[in-house]
Amino acid sequence: MDDNSLPKFDVLPQHVGFIMDGNGRWAQQRGLPRYKGHIEGAKTFRVIGEYAADIGIKCMTFYAFSTENWRRPKEEVNAIMNLFREYLKEADERKAENEEKGIHMTFLGDRSNLPMDMKMLMNKIERVSGKQHKVIVNIAINYGSREEITHSAREIAKKVKSGVLSPDDITEETVTNHLYTAGQPDLDLIIRPSGEHRLSNFMLWQAAYAEFWSSNVLWPDFSKEDLNEALREFEKRNRRFGGV
Ligand code: IPE
Ligand code: IPE
Ligand code: MG
């Protein structure tokens, strides 16, 4: 797509979070098993991620699997993990191409109980090349905001214990800098399709002043036009951050 055909926005959010919800319902509506919805949702993720980068979003997070999603039937969890593994292999093959474009991919969440082959691919993909990054694409996998904040607290406590940090020097910034998103801007916009109006443990800290946009469209049907609509709405929001 050439640049002229892309929409222009007066203000763009610095960091957009996508809660990719509604895959299961999409499949159920078609009489298909839920995993088919996850296959379609993974396709949408590829299309929307690329499009968001094309229109100038510099940082984006896709919520793919929560710390609570392990409660689902084993077959569904396995199907999601296999899709994720497929995607990792693809991203690994495309790493050089992505680096050329300035796209840096990272993974947010607790990796400790993910399969070893996936962990190795994740580490490889996110290894920095030294090239300048124009776009950050985060995938949140086995991610839970409470786990992330707990992890941050634990890391800070270790520093206090070893004497490199004094309790009185702990600020909001200290906590921010120990989250998986350290160094990234706070969320400006959260997009949740599928008609739900909740965060489901997504970036509770980073979302303090995020704008929320929801729609009834199910994630597999989420289109470039839907993203445009969310961004047009964002342009009009009056953000006050507690001021007047
Ligand atoms: C989102 O779609 C994908 C994950 C949470 C892994 P869902 O699977 O939650 O779809 P619904 O909400 O059941 O329709
Ligand atoms: C949120 O969706 C998690 C992801 C999209 C990965 P859920 O479907 O798990 O959220 P709830 O259960 O409806 O709150
Ligand atoms: Mg859901």
Short mmCIF file of all heavy atoms in Angstrom, two decimals, residues 22-48:
data_model
loop_
_atom_site.label_atom_id
_atom_site.label_comp_id
_atom_site.label_asym_id
_atom_site.label_seq_id
_atom_site.Cartn_x
_atom_site.Cartn_y
_atom_site.Cartn_z
N GLY A 22 -12.95 -12.46 21.49
CA GLY A 22 -14.12 -12.84 20.69
C GLY A 22 -13.86 -13.96 19.69
O GLY A 22 -14.73 -14.29 18.90
N ASN A 23 -12.68 -14.55 19.74
CA ASN A 23 -12.36 -15.65 18.82
C ASN A 23 -13.31 -16.84 19.00
O ASN A 23 -13.77 -17.43 18.03
CB ASN A 23 -10.93 -16.17 19.06
CG ASN A 23 -9.88 -15.13 18.75
OD1 ASN A 23 -10.18 -14.11 18.14
ND2 ASN A 23 -8.64 -15.40 19.15
N GLY A 24 -13.56 -17.18 20.26
CA GLY A 24 -14.40 -18.34 20.56
C GLY A 24 -15.81 -18.14 20.04
O GLY A 24 -16.38 -19.02 19.39
N ARG A 25 -16.37 -16.96 20.31
CA ARG A 25 -17.74 -16.69 19.85
C ARG A 25 -17.83 -16.65 18.34
O ARG A 25 -18.81 -17.09 17.75
CB ARG A 25 -18.23 -15.35 20.44
CG ARG A 25 -18.79 -15.51 21.84
CD ARG A 25 -18.91 -14.19 22.55
NE ARG A 25 -17.59 -13.74 23.03
CZ ARG A 25 -17.39 -12.59 23.65
NH1 ARG A 25 -18.41 -11.75 23.83
NH2 ARG A 25 -16.19 -12.28 24.08
N TRP A 26 -16.78 -16.14 17.71
CA TRP A 26 -16.75 -16.10 16.24
C TRP A 26 -16.89 -17.53 15.69
O TRP A 26 -17.66 -17.76 14.76
CB TRP A 26 -15.42 -15.48 15.79
CG TRP A 26 -15.29 -15.30 14.30
CD1 TRP A 26 -15.59 -14.17 13.58
CD2 TRP A 26 -14.82 -16.27 13.35
NE1 TRP A 26 -15.33 -14.38 12.25
CE2 TRP A 26 -14.86 -15.66 12.08
CE3 TRP A 26 -14.37 -17.59 13.45
CZ2 TRP A 26 -14.47 -16.31 10.91
CZ3 TRP A 26 -13.98 -18.26 12.30
CH2 TRP A 26 -14.03 -17.62 11.04
N ALA A 27 -16.17 -18.45 16.30
CA ALA A 27 -16.23 -19.85 15.84
C ALA A 27 -17.59 -20.47 16.18
O ALA A 27 -18.21 -21.11 15.32
CB ALA A 27 -15.10 -20.65 16.50
N GLN A 28 -18.04 -20.24 17.40
CA GLN A 28 -19.32 -20.82 17.82
C GLN A 28 -20.47 -20.38 16.91
O GLN A 28 -21.31 -21.19 16.55
CB GLN A 28 -19.62 -20.43 19.28
CG GLN A 28 -19.00 -21.42 20.26
CD GLN A 28 -18.82 -20.85 21.67
OE1 GLN A 28 -19.06 -19.66 21.92
NE2 GLN A 28 -18.38 -21.68 22.59
N GLN A 29 -20.44 -19.10 16.53
CA GLN A 29 -21.50 -18.59 15.65
C GLN A 29 -21.54 -19.32 14.32
O GLN A 29 -22.54 -19.32 13.62
CB GLN A 29 -21.27 -17.09 15.37
CG GLN A 29 -21.68 -16.20 16.50
CD GLN A 29 -21.33 -14.74 16.25
OE1 GLN A 29 -20.83 -14.39 15.18
NE2 GLN A 29 -21.60 -13.89 17.22
N ARG A 30 -20.41 -19.91 13.95
CA ARG A 30 -20.33 -20.62 12.67
C ARG A 30 -20.39 -22.13 12.85
O ARG A 30 -20.14 -22.88 11.91
CB ARG A 30 -19.02 -20.24 11.96
CG ARG A 30 -19.08 -18.85 11.39
CD ARG A 30 -17.71 -18.28 11.11
NE ARG A 30 -17.85 -16.93 10.55
CZ ARG A 30 -18.16 -15.85 11.27
NH1 ARG A 30 -18.35 -15.94 12.57
NH2 ARG A 30 -18.30 -14.68 10.67
N GLY A 31 -20.68 -22.55 14.06
CA GLY A 31 -20.75 -23.98 14.35
C GLY A 31 -19.39 -24.66 14.28
O GLY A 31 -19.29 -25.85 14.03
N LEU A 32 -18.34 -23.88 14.47
CA LEU A 32 -16.97 -24.42 14.39
C LEU A 32 -16.38 -24.59 15.78
O LEU A 32 -16.81 -23.92 16.73
CB LEU A 32 -16.08 -23.44 13.59
CG LEU A 32 -16.49 -23.14 12.14
CD1 LEU A 32 -15.69 -21.96 11.59
CD2 LEU A 32 -16.27 -24.38 11.27
N PRO A 33 -15.39 -25.46 15.93
CA PRO A 33 -14.71 -25.55 17.23
C PRO A 33 -13.97 -24.25 17.54
O PRO A 33 -13.55 -23.53 16.62
CB PRO A 33 -13.73 -26.71 17.05
CG PRO A 33 -13.60 -26.92 15.58
CD PRO A 33 -14.85 -26.38 14.93
N ARG A 34 -13.80 -23.95 18.82
CA ARG A 34 -13.23 -22.66 19.23
C ARG A 34 -11.85 -22.40 18.62
O ARG A 34 -11.52 -21.25 18.30
CB ARG A 34 -13.14 -22.59 20.76
CG ARG A 34 -14.50 -22.49 21.45
CD ARG A 34 -14.34 -22.48 22.97
NE ARG A 34 -13.52 -21.38 23.40
CZ ARG A 34 -13.99 -20.16 23.67
NH1 ARG A 34 -15.27 -19.91 23.59
NH2 ARG A 34 -13.17 -19.20 24.06
N TYR A 35 -11.06 -23.47 18.46
CA TYR A 35 -9.69 -23.22 17.97
C TYR A 35 -9.68 -22.59 16.58
O TYR A 35 -8.76 -21.85 16.23
CB TYR A 35 -8.83 -24.49 18.03
CG TYR A 35 -9.06 -25.47 16.90
CD1 TYR A 35 -8.36 -25.36 15.70
CD2 TYR A 35 -9.96 -26.52 17.02
CE1 TYR A 35 -8.55 -26.24 14.65
CE2 TYR A 35 -10.17 -27.42 15.98
CZ TYR A 35 -9.47 -27.27 14.80
OH TYR A 35 -9.68 -28.15 13.76
N LYS A 36 -10.74 -22.85 15.81
CA LYS A 36 -10.82 -22.23 14.47
C LYS A 36 -10.90 -20.71 14.60
O LYS A 36 -10.39 -19.97 13.75
CB LYS A 36 -12.04 -22.75 13.70
CG LYS A 36 -12.01 -24.23 13.41
CD LYS A 36 -11.50 -24.49 12.01
CE LYS A 36 -11.70 -25.95 11.65
NZ LYS A 36 -10.93 -26.37 10.50
N GLY A 37 -11.54 -20.28 15.66
CA GLY A 37 -11.62 -18.83 15.90
C GLY A 37 -10.25 -18.27 16.24
O GLY A 37 -9.90 -17.16 15.82
N HIS A 38 -9.45 -19.05 16.94
CA HIS A 38 -8.10 -18.59 17.28
C HIS A 38 -7.23 -18.52 16.01
O HIS A 38 -6.40 -17.62 15.88
CB HIS A 38 -7.46 -19.50 18.33
CG HIS A 38 -8.19 -19.47 19.64
ND1 HIS A 38 -8.49 -18.29 20.29
CD2 HIS A 38 -8.70 -20.46 20.42
CE1 HIS A 38 -9.15 -18.57 21.42
NE2 HIS A 38 -9.29 -19.88 21.50
N ILE A 39 -7.46 -19.46 15.09
CA ILE A 39 -6.70 -19.41 13.83
C ILE A 39 -7.04 -18.11 13.08
O ILE A 39 -6.15 -17.40 12.62
CB ILE A 39 -7.04 -20.65 12.94
CG1 ILE A 39 -6.51 -21.92 13.61
CG2 ILE A 39 -6.47 -20.48 11.52
CD1 ILE A 39 -6.84 -23.21 12.87
N GLU A 40 -8.32 -17.78 13.03
CA GLU A 40 -8.73 -16.56 12.34
C GLU A 40 -8.22 -15.32 13.07
O GLU A 40 -7.79 -14.35 12.45
CB GLU A 40 -10.26 -16.49 12.22
CG GLU A 40 -10.84 -17.47 11.24
CD GLU A 40 -10.23 -17.35 9.83
OE1 GLU A 40 -10.20 -16.24 9.26
OE2 GLU A 40 -9.74 -18.39 9.32
N GLY A 41 -8.26 -15.39 14.40
CA GLY A 41 -7.80 -14.26 15.20
C GLY A 41 -6.31 -13.99 14.98
O GLY A 41 -5.87 -12.84 14.95
N ALA A 42 -5.55 -15.06 14.81
CA ALA A 42 -4.11 -14.91 14.57
C ALA A 42 -3.88 -14.23 13.22
O ALA A 42 -2.94 -13.43 13.06
CB ALA A 42 -3.42 -16.27 14.61
N LYS A 43 -4.74 -14.52 12.24
CA LYS A 43 -4.62 -13.84 10.94
C LYS A 43 -4.90 -12.34 11.09
O LYS A 43 -4.21 -11.50 10.53
CB LYS A 43 -5.61 -14.44 9.93
CG LYS A 43 -5.26 -15.85 9.48
CD LYS A 43 -6.27 -16.31 8.41
CE LYS A 43 -6.16 -17.81 8.18
NZ LYS A 43 -7.35 -18.36 7.51
N THR A 44 -5.95 -12.03 11.86
CA THR A 44 -6.30 -10.62 12.08
C THR A 44 -5.14 -9.88 12.73
O THR A 44 -4.82 -8.76 12.36
CB THR A 44 -7.55 -10.52 12.98
OG1 THR A 44 -8.59 -11.26 12.37
CG2 THR A 44 -7.98 -9.08 13.20
N PHE A 45 -4.50 -10.55 13.70
CA PHE A 45 -3.36 -9.93 14.39
C PHE A 45 -2.28 -9.53 13.38
O PHE A 45 -1.73 -8.43 13.44
CB PHE A 45 -2.81 -10.90 15.44
CG PHE A 45 -1.35 -10.72 15.75
CD1 PHE A 45 -0.92 -9.58 16.41
CD2 PHE A 45 -0.42 -11.67 15.35
CE1 PHE A 45 0.44 -9.39 16.66
CE2 PHE A 45 0.92 -11.49 15.60
CZ PHE A 45 1.36 -10.34 16.26
N ARG A 46 -1.98 -10.41 12.43
CA ARG A 46 -0.94 -10.10 11.43
C ARG A 46 -1.34 -8.88 10.59
O ARG A 46 -0.53 -7.98 10.36
CB ARG A 46 -0.71 -11.29 10.51
CG ARG A 46 0.02 -12.46 11.19
CD ARG A 46 -0.05 -13.67 10.28
NE ARG A 46 0.76 -14.79 10.71
CZ ARG A 46 0.40 -15.71 11.60
NH1 ARG A 46 -0.76 -15.59 12.22
NH2 ARG A 46 1.18 -16.72 11.92
N VAL A 47 -2.60 -8.87 10.13
CA VAL A 47 -3.07 -7.77 9.27
C VAL A 47 -3.08 -6.45 10.04
O VAL A 47 -2.57 -5.43 9.56
CB VAL A 47 -4.50 -8.09 8.74
CG1 VAL A 47 -5.09 -6.90 8.00
CG2 VAL A 47 -4.46 -9.32 7.84
N ILE A 48 -3.63 -6.48 11.25
CA ILE A 48 -3.79 -5.23 12.02
C ILE A 48 -2.43 -4.72 12.50
O ILE A 48 -2.17 -3.51 12.48
CB ILE A 48 -4.79 -5.43 13.19
CG1 ILE A 48 -6.19 -5.73 12.64
CG2 ILE A 48 -4.82 -4.22 14.11
CD1 ILE A 48 -6.79 -4.63 11.76
#
